[in-house]
Amino acid sequence: MSDEASTWVLEPGTELIIDGEVWRVETCLPHLGRVTLIGDVGAPWKVQLSELIHRPGCRPSTRTCKDLPAASRGRQPKSMTDLQPTQQEHVMRRLQHIREVETGYRSGDPDAALPHEPLPQYDPETTTLTQRRKAKEAELRMARAIDPALAKSLALHRVSLRTLVRWDTARRRLGPIGLSDDRWLREATGHRITPEVREALFAVRDESLRRAKLTARDRERLIHQYVRETFGEKTKVPSYDVLRRVWRDWFGSNGGRQRYARSAAMAQKNATGRHVVVHRPGQVVALDTTVLPVKILEGVFGDPVSVHLTLALDVYTHSIVAFRLSLVSDASIDVAMVLRDMTMPLPMRPDWGEDMQWAYPGIPGTLVADFAGYEVAGLPFFAPETVTTDHGSVYRNHHLVEVQRVLGTNIKPSRVLRPTDKKAVERAFGAIQSLLFALLLGYQGVDTADRGVDPEADACLTVAEMEHIIATWIVGIWQNRRFDSYAPSWDPGGDHSPNSLFAASMTQSGFALRIPSPELYYQLLPSHQVMIHGKRGVKIKNLWYDGEALDPYRGKLSRRGGKAKNRYVIRRDPRDPCFVFFQDPLTHDWHTLRWVGLPEEGQFPAFSDARVREAMRELRKRGLAPKSDSELLPVLLEVIGGKIPVDQWPTQLTKKQRTEHAREVTQAAAAAADRPAGATVAQPAPASIPAARTGSDDGKVVPLRWRERAEQGQDAVTNERRRRREIAVPERPAPPPQDLSARLRATSLLALPDDDFDDGTDATAAAAAAAAQEEVSQ
C-alpha cells in the first residue's frame, strides 16, 4: 500500500479487515479512545483505539480508502495492461501534453526535441508553470472549437486548468496510469442480485438437480414462486434475461445430461481442492478393462471370440506393469491376480533375447533372479500404493476390500466427470491399438463402418499366442518407446522412456526389492467360514470337499472368535471349483481339498459356478434330491456336454454354448497357472492361456479340441460307473458248485429225458407224467 493510503481514517462507514473479517466503523470517539464496529453478523463490538491500532491482524480496507483511485479501491491496483489499445493511446497522448507543459518538449527530453520545439508559450526559460498550463488549456479549447468530434475521440474535449493539475499530480504518484479515466476501469459488478433473489436461485438450483431437466423458463417460474411464498409479493425479481445470464455465470450452461449434472455437483461438493503430485513409481497405478479389438480363436473349439484385456499402467513411468486376457468380463478374482502380478517380476520367455532381460542399474539381474527363482525380464514390479479404477461393481465388493488389506494397497475409484484421473491408461489403450492391434489379422477397427469384410474369418491367433505377442511387445517396444509429452518435471526437454524413468527413480530414491511368497495366491482368494463335518468334509457353494488335511479337525471347533466364531476359513478360486484350499491352524501350511465327486486327475472337464447352478436347476426340474455329489456327477456331465455323441457336437451345441465351454476351460487353466508350484493341478490335459506372469513355453501348448473334449467326458462317465460298481461289489462273487442247467433239470417236473434212454423207460416216464398231470387237474 502507498504512503498516502497508509493513513487510517476512522470515520463512520470506513471498513476494517480484522483477522480476515470485514468490520465497519459505526462510531469513533477519539477523545475517549473508543471505536464501535459492526460486522455482518453478531452484536456491535466496542474496542479501544490503542488495541485496534496495535492489533497485528487489523488493517484498513481499500474499498473505503479515499486516497486510492476509484479504480483501485477494493481491487488490485490498476495498470496499463488493463486498458484497451485505444485507451492506452489516449493515455500516451495526455502524457505528451503534460510533458510539454512541464519541460516544453513532447518527449520530455531536450535531446529528442522536434524541430519546432520548444514553442514560445511552453519555453521553460521565459514562462512559469502556471503560464504554460493556461497556454495548454487555451490550445485544447481552440482545438475543441475547431473540431469537436476529433477532440472527443481523443478524450481531450473536457480539459481545464484543474484537469491538468490533477493529471500532473496523479502522474507523479502513480505513473502514466494516473492519467487514465477511472470510468474506463469501472467495477465489473455484473447484475445486482439481492440476497432474497440469491437465496431463491440456490434453492431452485438444488431442486433442479433432483427433478428432470428444466428449461430456463421453468426455472424462472420456480424462482418467482420461491420469492413470492418466502418473502412476499413486494420483493422484486429481475427479468428473464437477467436470471438466465446470472444462472449461466454461476452454475454454467444447461447443456449436459441431468444424471451427469447431479454427479458433477456432488463431486464439486465433496472436492477438497488438493492435488496429488505423482513423483515416484508405484504411487498411483491406473487399472482398466476393455474389449480387445482383435478377434482370436478360443482353445477348445477353435471358434473366433472376443476377449477382455485388463491393463495396469504406472502413472509416473507409464510402464505397463501387468495385464491379463480373459474370455469373460473381469471379476474380483481377476483384479486380485492382476494386483498380484504387479508385485512379482516377469519371467523370461524361451524366445526372448538378452536385450529383454533385467538391465536396470542399481540392482543386478542375477540378484533379482536369485530372489525370484527364475530369469527376470526388463519390466518394473512393485507393491502399488494407490490403484485408480472406474466405478464398476468388480472394484466394489468385500473380496477387494480384503485384497487391499493383504497387499496394503488403496483402490480408489476415479472422480465422476474427471477424465484426468485415468487419462494415462485410456491413452495407453489407444496407443496399443494403433501401434500393435491394427497390424494383426482379425482387427475390427474403431467403427463398424471401417470394419473389414469378415474379421472372424481372418482370426488366426489363439489366446495363448495373443498373450505372448502382447507380452513381447510390452517388454521389447513399449518400455523403450520415447515419450512425446510425458517428460518428467525435472527434465521437460529430455528424451525419456518408461525404462529410463524407472531407472532414474531407482537412482534418486532407491528400490525396495520385495518379492512376495507363493502363498500370496491363497491369501488373495475369497474366503468362506464353515464348519468341518465329521465324515463329509466342508461344504462350499453346494459342493462337498474333503482331504486328509481335515482328519485332525473333524468334528472339532476352530476356537476362533469374532463374527465367524468356532469356524474354519476355507479359500476358494471361483475360476475352478474342483479344488478349495485349507490352511492348517498349527503349521500354517496350505493343503488342497478335492471335490468328493471328482474322478481321477485329468478325467473330468473343467466347469464353473454357473455350470453348477445350471446342474442344480436341472435336478430341481427333474424332481431329484441327490444326497451326495456322486449322484450329481451324471447330471453335471450331461449339462456340460459330456454325454453328447462326438459326431453331434457341431450340430447340437450352438456357438454360445461352445464359447461358454471354452471360457470354463480357459478360467480353469488360468487358475492352475496362478497356483504355486507345489499345489495340485486341476486339469493337466486342457491347455489354454497361461497367466501373464508364467514362464511356460507358449509354442508347445496344444489346445484341447472338441473331439478330445467329448471323448474325455465319455471316459469320465464310464470310469464313474465302473467306480460305483466296484464300491457296490468290492469282491468278485464265487462261482456255483455245479452247472446251473443240470441243477434245474434235476429238480424240474417238466424236464425232458436224455436221448440215450430206451423206449421202455420212455413209456414208463410218459405214463408217470400223464398220471401226475391227471392228479393235478383233479
Side-chain angles (χ1 to χ4, degrees), residues 4-16 25 28 35 49 59-61 64-67:
E4 293 81 1
S6 61
T7 304
W8 288 21
V9 179
L10 299 180
E11 62 183 13
T14 303
E15 291 185 354
L16 299 176
V25 177
C28 179
V35 180
L49 185 59
R59 66 181 187 276
S61 174
T64 57
C65 184
K66 296 182 179 180
D67 293 336

Side-chain angles (χ1 to χ4, degrees), residues 529 531 557-569:
Q529 291 78 21
M531 299 292 291
L557 301 179
S558 66
R559 301 194 307 177
R560 299 175 72 249
K563 183 178 180 179
K565 185 177 180 180
N566 291 327
R567 293 178 180 269
Y568 292 89
V569 178

Side-chain angles (χ1 to χ4, degrees), residues 5 55 112 153 173 188 199 333 391:
R55 190 182 185 93
S153 64
R173 185 164 57 94
E199 181 181 341
I333 184 63
H391 292 260

Side-chain angles (χ1 to χ4, degrees), residues 170-302:
R171 180 187 64 86
R172 295 176 183 275
R173 185 164 57 94
L174 303 175
I177 190 61
L179 302 177
S180 64
D181 195 338
D182 286 340
R183 291 173 294 182
W184 297 347
L185 301 175
R186 64 180 59 186
E187 183 180 0
T189 57
H191 304 284
R192 297 288 184 178
I193 302 298
T194 61
E196 294 81 5
V197 178
R198 182 180 184 278
E199 181 181 341
L201 282 167
F202 280 94
V204 174
R205 164 68 173 174
D206 296 338
E207 184 67 21
S208 63
L209 292 175
R210 295 180 56 85
R211 296 191 183 186
K213 189 172 183 179
L214 301 176
T215 62
R217 286 292 182 184
D218 298 334
R219 295 194 298 266
E220 180 202 13
R221 297 185 181 97
L222 293 179
I223 292 172
H224 279 275
Q225 178 187 359
Y226 186 89
V227 172
R228 180 187 180 93
E229 296 180 2
T230 306
F231 304 106
E233 299 180 0
K234 296 182 179 181
T235 304
K236 294 184 179 180
V237 179
S239 63
Y240 164 76
D241 294 331
V242 173
L243 292 176
R244 182 175 58 85
R245 287 194 292 268
V246 170
W247 187 281
R248 186 181 184 88
D249 294 341
W250 289 8
F251 309 118
S253 63
N254 197 37
R257 298 290 185 180
Q258 192 69 2
R259 58 179 299 187
Y260 300 140
R262 284 192 292 267
S263 58
M266 184 61 66
Q268 184 177 4
K269 180 180 179 182
N270 299 329
T272 60
R274 298 188 301 268
H275 300 277
V276 177
V277 179
V278 182
H279 60 277
R280 61 181 180 274
Q283 183 180 1
V284 178
V285 175
L287 186 66
D288 198 6
T289 302
T290 187
V291 179
L292 194 73
V294 180
K295 286 287 186 178
I296 62 176
L297 303 177
E298 45 87 6
V300 179
F301 300 95

Side-chain angles (χ1 to χ4, degrees), residues 598-736:
L598 188 65
E600 298 180 3
E601 296 290 338
Q603 296 185 359
F604 189 78
F607 66 97
S608 63
D609 290 347
R611 198 63 59 192
V612 174
R613 290 192 294 268
E614 186 177 350
M616 297 301 296
R617 286 195 298 268
E618 183 69 20
L619 288 176
R620 288 192 295 267
K621 181 179 178 181
R622 297 186 180 186
L624 301 178
K627 297 181 181 180
S628 64
D629 289 325
S630 299
E631 299 177 12
L632 177 62
L633 179 61
V635 182
L636 182 60
L637 290 174
E638 181 179 355
V639 174
I640 64 176
K643 286 188 174 181
I644 300 177
V646 176
D647 297 335
Q648 298 181 7
W649 270 61
T651 57
Q652 293 293 329
L653 292 181
T654 62
K655 181 179 179 180
K656 179 179 179 181
Q657 292 173 333
R658 293 197 300 269
T659 303
E660 290 178 355
H661 287 290
R663 288 173 177 173
E664 292 167 0
V665 174
T666 303
Q667 287 180 321
D674 288 331
R675 294 191 191 101
T680 304
V681 180
Q683 322 294 342
S688 182
I689 171 178
R693 295 279 172 167
T694 58
S696 60
D697 189 357
D698 297 336
K700 298 181 180 180
V701 173
V702 181
L704 183 66
R705 300 300 177 182
W706 60 270
R707 291 184 179 274
E708 290 81 358
R709 180 176 170 84
E711 295 174 358
Q712 185 186 41
Q714 293 178 355
D715 292 342
V717 174
T718 302
N719 295 333
E720 177 63 17
R721 290 174 177 173
R722 182 184 299 110
R723 184 181 66 85
R724 296 173 63 180
R725 288 196 300 268
E726 292 175 354
I727 294 176
V729 185
E731 297 180 359
R732 184 180 183 86

Side-chain angles (χ1 to χ4, degrees), residues 3 12 64 98 141 147 151 169-170 251 341 441 489 598 663 727 746:
D3 295 338
T64 57
I98 294 299
R141 187 183 300 112
D147 193 347
T169 304
F251 309 118
D341 292 343
L441 287 177
S489 58
L598 188 65
R663 288 173 177 173
I727 294 176

Side-chain angles (χ1 to χ4, degrees), residues 419-442:
T420 56
D421 291 352
K422 284 172 68 272
K423 66 176 183 179
V425 68
E426 299 293 348
R427 294 192 64 176
F429 279 128
I432 298 175
Q433 180 172 327
S434 60
L435 296 176
L436 176 63
F437 295 153
L439 306 178
L440 302 179
L441 287 177

Side-chain angles (χ1 to χ4, degrees), residues 112-182:
L114 297 176
H116 60 277
E117 293 181 343
L119 295 176
Q121 62 271 27
Y122 299 121
D123 190 356
E125 297 181 357
T126 59
T127 58
T128 62
L129 180 59
T130 303
Q131 291 175 348
R132 294 194 295 271
R133 286 175 177 173
K134 290 182 179 180
K136 179 60 69 175
E137 179 185 8
E139 177 188 348
L140 296 178
R141 187 183 300 112
M142 185 181 299
R144 184 167 62 249
I146 296 174
D147 193 347
L150 179 60
K152 185 176 183 180
S153 64
L154 298 177
L156 297 174
H157 59 293
R158 290 183 179 180
V159 179
S160 62
L161 180 62
R162 294 183 58 185
T163 304
L164 294 174
V165 175
R166 178 170 54 82
W167 282 359
D168 192 15
T169 304
R171 180 187 64 86
R172 295 176 183 275
R173 185 164 57 94
L174 303 175
I177 190 61
L179 302 177
S180 64
D181 195 338
D182 286 340

